[in-house]
């Protein structure tokens, strides 16, 4: 991360690039620093269980940490709080399903525009980027999801 900051300064574009943490500790430490809605999920298993959300996520969705901890991220952000299938998503015009699998399995970033729903059922559009968070053995253990409405 320090190297990226040095490159930014040297190029004269300081503050233009988003510095993304690559481990859980750094992600938790920067959770509220930039105003983006952030969610940290586990990277293991069929469902990506929520570990942490920040204040911006609560402002956008109406869900608190206590409401969502341990729940699947897709389920929380879907209509009625139930996970939608690919067919159900396709039935909504222009809807896409954000693909977490490459982030968890291959350690690559993913980005997409998605239709989500808040706690009251209000539909909103987000741009979501997902970043792998790894441990000292370079294994992806968590995923940081950064959302912008």
């Amino acid at each position: 991360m320090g190297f990226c900051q040095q490159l930014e300064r040297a190029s004269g574009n300081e503050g233009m690039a988003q510095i993304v943490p690559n481990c859980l500790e750094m992600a938790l430490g920067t959770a509220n620093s930039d105003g983006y809605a952030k969610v940290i999920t586990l990277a293991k298993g069929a469902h990506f269980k929520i570990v942490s959300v920040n204040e911006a996520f609560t402002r956008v969705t109406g869900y608190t940490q206590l409401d969502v901890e341990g729940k699947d991220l897709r389920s929380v952000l879907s209509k009625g709080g139930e996970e939608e299938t690919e067919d159900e998503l396709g039935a909504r015009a222009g809807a896409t399903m954000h693909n977490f699998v490459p982030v968890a399995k291959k350690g690559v970033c993913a980005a997409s525009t998605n239709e989500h729903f808040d706690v009251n059922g209000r539909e909103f559009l987000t741009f979501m980027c997902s970043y792998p968070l790894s441990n000292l053995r370079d294994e992806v253990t968590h995923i940081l999801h950064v959302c912008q409405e």
Side-chain angles (χ1 to χ4, degrees):
M1 190 158 103
F3 179 68
C4 291
Q5 290 171 325
Q6 289 175 353
L7 284 176
E8 244 188 0
R9 285 187 200 114
S11 68
N13 293 319
E14 191 167 2
M16 297 299 290
Q18 182 179 7
I19 304 298
V20 179
N22 63 351
C23 69
L24 181 59
E25 292 77 15
M26 289 174 66
L28 289 169
T30 62
N32 292 309
S33 63
D34 57 14
Y36 290 108
K38 295 181 182 176
V39 181
I40 298 174
T41 62
L42 295 174
K44 306 288 183 209
H47 301 282
F48 298 92
K49 303 291 183 188
I50 296 173
V51 174
S52 177
V53 300
N54 71 352
E55 293 170 9
F57 179 85
T58 299
R59 274 195 311 276
V60 170
T61 66
Y63 290 109
T64 66
Q65 174 75 29
L66 291 174
D67 294 333
V68 298
E69 192 171 340
K71 294 184 179 177
D72 177 61
L73 179 58
R74 285 189 182 139
S75 298
V76 167
L77 295 176
S78 66
K79 192 170 190 172
E82 297 177 13
E83 188 171 348
E84 296 174 296
T85 65
E86 290 278 356
D87 292 338
E88 290 169 331
L89 281 167
R92 289 196 281 128
T96 58
M97 182 179 280
H98 189 72
N99 191 357
F100 303 130
V101 176
V103 183
K105 300 247 190 256
K106 298 178 184 175
V108 297
C109 299
S112 65
T113 302
N114 304 278
E115 293 174 349
H116 290 139
F117 295 87
D118 69 11
V119 70
N120 298 315
R122 178 187 67 91
E123 187 173 18
F124 61 97
L125 194 65
T126 63
F127 178 69
M128 180 183 282
C129 295
S130 298
Y131 304 97
L133 301 175
S134 55
N135 61 18
L136 292 174
R137 294 185 298 276
D138 206 26
E139 300 165 330
V140 177
T141 58
H142 295 79
I143 302 172
L144 170 63
H145 310 276
V146 180
C147 305
Q148 184 175 4
E149 188 176 14

